[in-house]
Amino acid sequence: MPRFLSMIRVNENEIPTDEFPEDFNERMGKLLEEITKAGVMLDTAGLLPSSEGTRVTWSGGKLSYTDGPFTETKEVIGGYALMQCKDKAEALEWAKRFLEIHPEEWTVTCEVRQIMEG
């Protein structure tokens, strides 16, 4: 079965860290339990803020390092999920269900990409 990487993109400046809906964690926990029991979820995690990250760039034969936060970037990857699904349609269905748990006033993007095998 193919594997898919789901990357969650957020604007860190627009996500309130202390104003999650009351039942958000419960609903998210139920979805993660369901996707795990279905044998789809291989790994998932949120990421620390970009202020704690570093970008390493290779250009012109030289490396450069840029410490976060990355002010020139509107969206950053805030988390990921590694899933094994029967096809892309199934991966997109799980991504849809994940996004629908978030508050309507948030903008959260989920980029789903199949992993190139062997």
Side-chain angles (χ1 to χ4, degrees), residues 3 8 14 17 20-21 26 29-30 44 50 53 59 71 90 101 111 114:
R3 295 180 301 155
I8 307 306
E14 293 181 1
T17 57
F20 284 86
E26 180 183 340
K30 285 181 180 178
T44 188
S50 67
S59 179
T71 55
E90 181 184 14
I101 288 174
E111 181 178 335
Q114 186 170 342

Side-chain angles (χ1 to χ4, degrees), residues 40-103:
V40 170
M41 183 66 71
L42 301 176
D43 190 29
T44 188
L47 301 176
L48 291 175
S50 67
S51 61
E52 299 194 31
T54 301
R55 286 188 179 156
V56 183
T57 303
W58 174 256
S59 179
K62 296 181 182 180
L63 286 173
S64 65
Y65 299 84
T66 306
D67 290 330
F70 310 116
T71 55
E72 73 282 357
T73 303
K74 182 179 177 184
E75 291 183 332
V76 297
I77 297 175
Y80 72 94
L82 181 59
M83 303 178 291
Q84 189 165 19
C85 302
K86 64 182 178 201
D87 54 25
K88 186 175 180 180
E90 181 184 14
L92 291 173
E93 177 61 25
W94 286 112
K96 171 186 146 308
R97 292 183 60 196
F98 173 82
L99 290 173
E100 289 175 338
I101 288 174
H102 292 78

